[in-house]
Amino acid sequence: MTMRVYVSRDAGAVAVGADEVALVLGLAASKHGLDIEIVRTGSRGLYWLEPMVEVATPQGRIAFGPVTEFNANSVLDAMISGSPHPLRLGVADEIPWLKRQTRLTFARCGVIDPRALADYRAHGGYKGLERALTLGSDGILADVTASGLRGRGGAGFPTGIKWKTVAQASADRKFIVCNADEGDSGTFADRMIMEGDPFVVIEGMTIASIAVGASKGYIYIRSEYPHAVEAMNAAIAAAKRGGTLGARIGGSNHSFDLEVRVGAGAYVCGEETSLLESLEGRRGIVRAKPPLPAHKGLFGKPTVINNVLSFAAIPFILAGGAKAYADYGMGRSRGTMPIQLAGNIRHGGLFETAFGVTLGELVDDVGGGTFTGRPVRAVQVGGPLGAYFPASMLDLPMDYEAFAAKKGIVGHGGIVVFDDTVDLARQARWAFEFCAIESCGKCTPCRIGSTRGAEVLDRISRVARTSDRETTMGLLRDLCDTMTYGSLCALGGLTPLPVLSALRHFPEDFGLSRSDVAWTG
Ligand SMILES: Cc1cc2nc3c(=O)[nH]c(=O)nc-3n(C[C@H](O)[C@H](O)[C@H](O)COP(=O)(O)O)c2cc1C
Ligand code: SF4
């Protein structure tokens, strides 16, 4: 009987030697005359255990990790004999880190062969599309709206409303655009799902195309993601061969074609209008809104533009029904969020769970605290434009409104952890520097304000103990107000968020007292 072994081909696993492990396993197996099939999957998201290798057994898949090219031979022996091994993790699905998740979007990631359409189907794939084809536009829009899904790219805008706007727009052509620029620090969920379950993204986009009447779609992927580009291209070709993409999908009257486009690596190209400029072949500069992309988007046509995770949530919603998704979550944050744990954390990786989980549960219980073993001092949630929260605020639940009430953002669900050696004054300065480097330059508050901001912060640390302090603080306040209310897009508009949160919660790092920063709220 063929022995089936699973090794991740995810870029994160490959970076720590998954290809070499697969090679050694293959060579060792042929030396033993063993009939072996090595299936290259995506990652399950337990990155500290990569390369994680699994073997199919009657009890389920048994996992080992982290495996290296040097111990792969002994792991193979343990797989054959079933004898104990120090790297044996037990049945993969029973690993507590995986078991306590609610994997609706990432259910297949790390499980299936991302190149095999048949494997996708065998694990429930394309059930959503089948139902969507019978429902038609109105039914799909009703389901997506009722699911409560909000865009996972950062702004949390209701997906149902966006799709409805495009559906109601009349035009000779409409487009579906998938935003896979994933520029936020500490985030990797888009990459992971594109590499580990690309068909779910294609299925979600195809359902969107039926909902709004679009015939063409683009996936805009950052150039730093070559593995994802390859995976998406291979899946698009397979879907076309399988009749689930292209002309007359699944024998219906609906046709939808999809192409990958690779960005050149600018953070601002993740901003939707800038992305559209880039897709059209121009420099990535933000467009003034209105018109919204839903009315006048790609090539001036009504366009749905959504994050990878927003599209990837759609097949579950259509297959299982809106309620099955909406039953998870809290308040107006429905469903699950693929949380990405990064930075100084012991167990970093992807953890999909319902909204409502607290930061403390994620950082301490799930993540196991810091990698260095020192106390957690701060976490930044939502990428480079997200707020820094102190350890005393880790009871904050993951929820768009709860975060907004504490002057923070959930963003794309990335959590970056810092221990007690972090200098928040440096982090705050970096926020301005980042904005200065990445600014598209279209509006003054961001283009000039970001550089002036870094200068003012330098001055604050110099004058912290002098009479000049109040004047300088006033200057910073005015500058932050100008950027917040005067910037054309959220790059300039949100940069004050990390700066002000650092001042508010960690004034001592700036040589200031709590009363000095009372104005930050
Ligand atoms: C500076 C900046 C960078 C952004 N980067 C991304 C990104 O990398 N990926 C993404 O999906 N959305 C990003 N966004 C948000 C998009 O503009 C847009 O809101 C999103 O693609 C809409 O999809 P959603 O509704 O599914 O979230 C960014 C916004 C700004 C202002
Ligand atoms: S805020 Fe910055 S990135 Fe956004 S439009 Fe203005 S200059 Fe460009």
Side-chain angles (χ1 to χ4, degrees):
M1 206 175 88
T2 306
M3 182 178 180
R4 189 165 288 141
V5 173
Y6 303 85
V7 185
S8 172
R9 69 188 317 159
D10 176 278
V14 168
V16 290
D19 283 349
E20 290 77 4
V21 168
L23 194 70
V24 172
L25 286 172
L27 288 173
S30 66
K31 217 163 124 190
H32 284 90
L34 204 68
D35 182 9
I36 190 174
E37 183 194 358
I38 297 179
V39 182
R40 301 301 300 269
T41 61
S43 174
R44 297 240 197 193
L46 295 76
Y47 278 111
W48 75 101
L49 293 174
E50 290 289 4
M52 195 165 110
V53 175
E54 298 171 26
V55 58
T57 75
Q59 293 75 45
R61 291 191 196 172
I62 307 291
F64 296 80
V67 181
T68 68
E69 59 189 297
F70 306 107
N71 57 32
N73 268 305
S74 70
V75 167
L76 185 68
D77 289 344
M79 285 175 173
I80 297 165
S81 63
S83 54
H85 192 282
L87 298 182
R88 192 178 194 277
L89 302 164
V91 176
D93 290 331
E94 298 297 321
I95 298 173
W97 212 83
L98 268 176
K99 209 178 172 189
R100 61 190 290 198
Q101 299 189 38
T102 305
R103 288 210 163 191
L104 307 186
T105 302
F106 278 75
R108 280 173 295 260
C109 196
V111 176
I112 63 163
D113 175 353
R115 300 285 193 272
L117 187 63
D119 211 5
Y120 180 65
R121 281 191 186 282
H123 287 81
Y126 278 124
K127 288 213 164 32
L129 178 63
E130 279 163 26
R131 186 159 163 266
L133 283 168
T134 63
L135 281 180
S137 171
D138 288 347
I140 300 170
L141 293 175
D143 259 21
V144 174
T145 306
S147 75
L149 178 67
R150 292 166 71 172
R152 302 297 189 232
F157 188 81
T159 307
I161 295 178
K162 186 182 283 187
W163 288 20
K164 203 169 170 185
T165 311
V166 179
Q168 286 170 346
S170 55
D172 55 344
R173 286 202 89 182
K174 296 181 187 178
F175 293 102
I176 307 293
V177 174
C178 177
N179 187 341
D181 199 52
E182 196 163 57
D184 281 0
S185 39
T187 63
F188 44 84
D190 294 352
R191 181 190 59 69
M192 252 187 83
I193 198 111
M194 286 190 289
E195 291 180 9
D197 192 9
F199 294 110
V200 80
V201 182
I202 296 173
E203 185 181 352
M205 292 182 74
T206 310
I207 293 169
S209 74
I210 301 167
V212 306
S215 53
K216 174 95 192 189
Y218 293 93
I219 307 175
Y220 184 93
I221 308 180
R222 61 186 296 131
S223 60
E224 294 91 331
Y225 282 179
H227 297 80
V229 170
E230 203 186 317
M232 287 307 318
N233 275 326
I236 287 171
K240 281 183 182 167
R241 282 194 304 273
T244 51
L245 200 59
R248 301 182 65 81
I249 287 167
S252 73
N253 284 328
H254 183 74
S255 300
F256 181 59
D257 194 21
L258 206 49
E259 275 181 55
V260 169
R261 287 282 184 275
V262 181
Y267 182 70
V268 78
C269 283
E271 194 282 334
E272 55 187 13
T273 62
S274 184
L275 186 154
L276 294 175
E277 285 289 301
S278 175
L279 256 186
E280 291 179 14
R282 285 188 290 276
R283 200 180 122 196
I285 292 188
V286 172
R287 294 178 185 171
K289 287 191 271 190
L292 294 170
H295 292 128
K296 210 164 174 276
L298 189 62
F299 303 116
K301 303 293 177 188
T303 302
V304 164
I305 173 159
N306 275 124
N307 174 251
V308 174
L309 300 181
S310 311
F311 284 122
I314 296 293
F316 176 89
I317 291 166
L318 265 295
K323 190 175 176 304
Y325 193 76
D327 275 350
Y328 294 100
M330 76 175 270
R332 288 178 46 227
S333 306
R334 307 314 313 170
T336 58
M337 185 74 197
I339 309 271
Q340 298 125 87
L341 296 171
N344 189 344
I345 190 151
R346 188 186 305 266
H347 297 151
L350 184 121
F351 193 89
E352 183 178 349
T353 189
F355 281 100
V357 62
T358 67
L359 280 175
E361 284 171 79
L362 290 166
V363 173
D364 295 327
D365 303 349
V366 174
T370 64
F371 180 76
T372 48
R374 299 181 70 91
V376 173
R377 180 152 185 255
V379 296
Q380 187 181 28
V381 187
L385 309 175
Y388 289 97
F389 292 118
S392 60
M393 285 178 70
L394 292 188
D395 57 348
L396 193 61
M398 290 300 289
D399 167 64
Y400 292 107
E401 279 65 42
F403 266 62
K406 298 291 179 195
K407 299 181 193 291
I409 52 169
V410 169
H412 188 46
I415 300 179
V416 179
V417 180
F418 299 85
D419 72 12
D420 59 353
T421 59
V422 66
D423 176 353
L424 268 300
R426 274 187 66 191
Q427 296 299 125
R429 192 184 195 284
W430 168 241
F432 277 132
E433 281 176 69
F434 178 79
C435 183
I437 294 165
E438 298 293 341
S439 169
C440 83
K442 182 149 177 167
C443 67
T444 319
C446 167
R447 186 183 67 247
I448 308 288
S450 48
T451 300
R452 292 291 94 87
E455 292 166 5
V456 173
L457 280 187
D458 287 343
R459 215 163 121 190
I460 283 191
S461 32
R462 277 203 309 273
V463 299
R465 296 268 162 252
T466 73
S467 55
D468 234 11
R469 188 178 55 198
E470 269 179 34
T471 322
T472 314
M473 295 292 266
L475 202 60
L476 181 65
R477 183 182 193 158
D478 282 354
L479 184 73
C480 285
D481 279 351
T482 307
M483 289 183 75
T484 304
Y485 303 112
S487 295
L488 190 57
C489 86
L491 178 47
L494 289 181
T495 292
L497 216 64
V499 175
L500 296 180
S501 62
L503 268 167
R504 186 181 311 124
H505 301 302
F506 307 93
E508 62 278 14
D509 288 20
F510 298 79
L512 298 167
S513 67
R514 297 241 162 240
S515 58
D516 291 328
V517 296
W519 60 272
T520 60

